[in-house]
Amino acid sequence: MVENKIIDGKAVAKRIRLEIARETEAVKQMGIEPCLAVIIVGNNPASRVYVNNKKNSCAEVGIKSLEYALPEETTEEELLTLIDTLNADDSVHGILVQLPLPKQISEQKVIEHIVPSKDVDCFHPYSAGKLFTGAPVFEPCTPSGIMELIYESGIEIAGSECVVVGRSNIVGKPMAMLLLAANGTVTVAHSKTPELKAVCKRADILIVAIGKAKFINADYVKEGAVVIDVGMNRDENGKLCGDVDFDSVYGKCGAITPVPGGVGPMTITILLRNTLRAAKESKNK
Ligand code: NDP
């Protein structure tokens, strides 16, 4: 188990980003400049922050980023046409469309329009299907980042009871697939799960992604369990907090991720790793 029980996502992310920077440099020496195209539509302030973080993170590891900032009134057709152009551009290796999109645009249609070989977010149904069959094209960003944090905790996934609370397409479901592939025994719980406390208490590894501030307290946690908190919420004072009541759980668990500084820094790190991988694989086309 990790020293002092807190799994330091920032430190793990920093380590992986150093590796990515080294590899990016090596790929550039081979004449390929890894490049991520980021599309943002409209003026959502949270989306603006996410896109800036992604661009800054790309710069930090030497990956080129291109930003396409489109106005709120952009039509679905205009966005799909831009994606067609980027799909066909060999100098672009990853394409990311920041969600949510304005209501005149179907998010599903947009996700399905990105060619799977550039789907570094791993949202395309083809990518999801490949993950399901155990041969992922890219790693789903948040769940793969969580796998790195579980490895950091020192717990053996094979043979462990893993409980994932939340079944979204972005976190819960792909998380379950990765744990299964690593030979965990996996339960996926959700808002209709009866006896949630008892289900969670079975877990050697408990992953919570529900979007409810401090919902999971010590009553849900087995003594010594590894607890991964994916939630990003604001508490009653407007302070960033997770889905887990850290103060309640800390004394009982074996290891825990803090919010902020746990899962958060990992998501973009895996996005960078996927972009680098896409660039490397473009060489074999
Ligand atoms: P969604 O809202 O898409 O899904 C939430 C899931 O939680 C649903 O499956 C829902 O069940 C379940 N749920 C809700 N309430 C309960 C409850 N009381 N008991 C049990 N299950 C419940 O959320 P996301 O998966 O997109 O995100 C979850 C959290 O993770 C959010 O706080 C989000 O901000 C954060 N997040 C953080 C990321 C990071 O990089 N750190 C990345 C992505 C998300 P049902 O299906 O039955 O409705």
Side-chain angles (χ1 to χ4, degrees), residues 142 165-168 170-172 189-192 196 209-212 215 230-233 243 263-264 267:
T142 302
V165 192
R167 56 174 163 180
S168 69
I170 294 174
V171 187
H190 45 79
S191 71
K192 310 290 186 295
L196 184 64
I210 59 177
K212 299 245 151 78
F215 185 87
V230 189
M232 284 202 304
N233 315 292
D243 292 340
V263 174
T267 299

Side-chain angles (χ1 to χ4, degrees), residues 107-126:
E107 290 188 352
Q108 200 51 38
K109 226 179 193 173
V110 167
I111 287 169
E112 292 183 19
H113 212 70
I114 297 171
V115 66
S117 60
K118 298 188 182 186
D119 176 34
V120 284
D121 248 342
C122 198
F123 288 170
H124 194 292
Y126 178 82

